[in-house]
Amino acid sequence: MKCGKRDLLLYAVTDRSWSEGTTLGAQVEEALRGGATFVQLREKKLTGEALRAEALEIQAVCRRYGVPFVINDDVALAKEIDADGVHVGQDDLGADKIIGVSAHNVEEALRSERHGADYLGVGAAFTTSSKPEAGHIDAETIRAICEMVKIPVIAIGGIKAENLLQLRGNGLCGVAVISAIFAQKDIEAATRRLHALAEEMAGDQE
């Protein structure tokens, strides 16, 4: 399975920090009902069989909605359960399905494209609490990356409804969000609003 620009419009990255009283799978389903177009399982606390079980649960939900499902950093697990792909850092390329790669400048973006990346996640677009060590990149860098590569580019890092439209005009095809979906009381409604804003942002690139 490969992905197109439309698949990347609203890319939901999971975080179990806000799943108290429910399950991550249930939260993902709420996000999908609200219009999330892509799901990445990003799990920093589970390992082994527990992680595999969670991945299978969320994969099943994504398949019901016909939405691509990738796993952060774990190429072996992605292959084992036949996930649609992986999202990796600059040193981890190597999968035979969807490969998403993080990039922070034009050089990394071009190198990732040469090595077979299917899409790029660039950022941090804004200051973010999930990766405080990640440096913020400016609009000029985002625009330069989008102009230099032929593969789809999405922004990640600190994106929320209040600042999403600040990313207009840079050539992005979508945005990746974490807390703007999973930290909300009404995940479905929050996702629906983000989807509409992402449509407006991406429409400016067409």
Side-chain angles (χ1 to χ4, degrees):
M1 180 180 187
K2 292 297 181 180
C3 61
K5 288 185 176 181
R6 292 293 301 173
D7 295 316
L8 294 161
L9 180 69
L10 184 57
Y11 185 121
V13 182
T14 67
D15 189 326
R16 67 172 41 256
S17 300
W18 301 288
S19 61
E20 186 176 350
T22 184
T23 67
L24 192 57
Q27 289 188 311
V28 167
E29 183 152 17
E30 285 187 66
L32 292 170
R33 285 200 303 266
T37 60
F38 202 110
V39 174
Q40 178 194 136
L41 175 61
R42 182 175 180 265
E43 183 54 76
K44 301 302 183 183
K45 296 183 178 179
L46 293 186
T47 58
E49 186 55 38
L51 175 58
R52 182 178 183 276
E54 181 174 81
L56 286 169
E57 177 189 359
I58 294 173
Q59 179 184 43
V61 175
C62 291
R63 284 182 173 171
R64 287 204 303 274
Y65 284 81
V67 167
F69 168 69
V70 301
I71 298 175
N72 181 268
D73 279 339
D74 198 328
V75 175
L77 179 59
K79 287 184 174 181
E80 179 188 349
I81 70 166
D82 197 26
D84 296 314
V86 291
H87 186 92
V88 295
Q90 282 291 308
D91 301 321
D92 304 312
L93 281 176
D96 57 359
K97 296 190 178 183
I98 298 172
I99 305 173
V101 183
S102 299
H104 309 91
N105 54 55
V106 171
E107 180 184 1
E108 289 182 355
L110 290 170
R111 181 169 64 243
S112 300
E113 184 178 41
R114 285 196 305 270
H115 283 84
D118 294 300
Y119 71 88
L120 299 174
V122 301
F126 303 100
T127 304
T128 172
S129 59
S130 67
K131 278 196 171 183
E133 76 283 0
H136 169 264
I137 68 173
D138 56 28
E140 289 74 19
T141 301
I142 294 174
R143 193 175 307 118
I145 290 172
C146 291
E147 290 172 352
M148 292 296 293
V149 301
K150 296 180 176 64
I151 57 177
V153 180
I154 61 175
I156 189 169
I159 298 168
K160 51 191 176 182
E162 293 75 14
N163 61 20
L164 195 157
L165 291 180
Q166 293 177 32
L167 297 168
R168 284 186 296 195
N170 293 321
L172 295 161
C173 70
V175 294
V177 297
I178 304 175
S179 62
I181 288 179
F182 292 103
Q184 307 310 306
K185 290 182 178 178
D186 188 335
I187 288 175
E188 183 176 347
T191 306
R192 189 174 293 113
R193 183 183 180 202
L194 288 165
H195 187 279
L197 291 167
E199 287 270 21
E200 184 177 346
M201 182 210 72
D204 289 349
Q205 327 301 337
E206 295 173 357

